[in-house]
Amino acid sequence: MTAKALVVLSGGQDSTTCLYWAIREFGAENVSSVTFDYGQRHRIELDCVRELSALTGIENRVLPIDTFAAIGGDALTDSKIAVCGEVTEKTGLPNTFVAGRNVIFLSYAAAFAYQRGIDNIVTGVAQTDYSGYPDCREETIKALEKTLNLGMDSEFKIHTPLMHLSKRETVELADKLGAMPAMAMTHTCYNGQRPPCGACPSCELRARGFAEAGIEDPLLTAS
Ligand code: ZN
């Protein structure tokens, strides 16, 4: 049986790079993607996913999870909190940390994959250079992979091709994979702006990666 892969696609730079990585590794005909509508402030992410799916021809399903917005307390789902990357005193994490997000996303992705006979799940999390989100760490992902396999009596492999790459290396990988036209459609800005604001922590991180790789960000020339 041919190996199939499911990419957790957010419409951002990293998961889009992973989509192209999965196409190379598994073949486009064996790749599909899933996106979570979790009440994120930036609905533009869902538009990006539609554009990326049209460009790549990779099937995408948007699944709803409205619980994070109901819980509140983070800047990405609560419009009363400014998205500035300010560190929350209690947790030492930026206020953009949506507690439990990756754990829940990967659990739902695994349930979706299980029903379709897909064993490979691809996610763009990385523990290098990023905001220090604990659910992006390799240790978390490895433990979750084990839990999901025990819980569903399955043989999922969670692939994290960006885990140990710097932002610069992620940009270089995207370039090598031919993902640059798709980068023009991705969304990164924490302020939900397109063209991007250029000033938020997320825009700054993206700009640094492209600058260090010596590659022009197609998002900036497209918008
Ligand atoms: Zn921004």
Side-chain angles (χ1 to χ4, degrees):
M1 200 177 79
T2 322
K4 290 185 188 170
L6 179 70
V7 180
V8 181
L9 186 64
S10 71
Q13 177 190 355
D14 293 339
S15 64
T16 301
T17 303
C18 286
L19 181 67
Y20 279 78
W21 179 87
I23 292 170
R24 185 188 70 182
E25 295 296 310
F26 297 94
E29 68 281 12
N30 298 310
V31 176
S32 55
S33 68
V34 67
T35 299
F36 295 102
D37 181 351
Y38 64 100
Q40 56 269 60
R41 285 165 78 166
H42 306 322
R43 313 301 294 170
I44 191 173
E45 289 178 6
L46 303 174
D47 297 335
C48 294
V49 165
R50 270 191 292 277
E51 287 177 30
L52 289 164
S53 301
L55 176 74
T56 57
I58 300 295
E59 187 193 331
N60 174 262
R61 271 286 295 276
V62 176
L63 299 177
I65 309 176
D66 58 9
T67 312
F68 288 116
I71 293 169
D74 67 81
L76 293 192
T77 61
D78 189 338
S79 59
K80 292 193 289 296
I81 300 174
V83 190
C84 54
E86 189 187 337
V87 171
T88 309
E89 206 176 310
K90 199 173 72 185
T91 60
L93 291 168
N95 68 6
T96 47
F97 177 59
V98 182
R101 180 171 58 174
N102 276 330
V103 173
I104 299 294
F105 280 9
L106 288 167
S107 299
Y108 276 130
F112 185 87
Y114 179 94
Q115 297 294 1
R116 286 158 184 78
I118 302 172
D119 283 336
N120 298 283
I121 299 167
V122 187
T123 172
V125 296
Q127 64 182 25
T128 335
D129 258 15
Y130 290 65
S131 313
Y133 297 162
D135 57 353
C136 291
R137 291 187 201 137
E138 188 164 45
E139 194 181 1
T140 307
I141 303 297
K142 287 279 171 223
L144 184 60
E145 180 185 81
K146 187 172 181 189
T147 301
L148 292 170
N149 282 328
L150 286 171
M152 291 185 228
D153 196 13
S154 52
E155 291 181 5
F156 295 121
K157 171 102 181 80
I158 302 181
H159 300 267
T160 54
L162 312 185
M163 181 58 81
H164 299 289
L165 301 189
S166 66
K167 267 289 174 190
R168 172 201 175 143
E169 291 167 324
T170 298
V171 171
E172 288 168 347
L173 176 64
D175 190 39
K176 203 169 85 184
L177 292 167
M180 281 303 147
M183 286 300 137
M185 299 170 183
T186 59
H187 178 73
T188 302
C189 179
Y190 271 159
N191 286 316
Q193 293 179 18
R194 202 176 184 184
C197 80
C200 72
S202 197
C203 277
E204 280 179 4
L205 192 60
R206 175 170 175 143
R208 187 152 48 85
F210 275 93
E212 286 175 5
I215 294 170
E216 203 169 2
D217 186 346
L219 176 61
L220 302 180
T221 41
S223 53

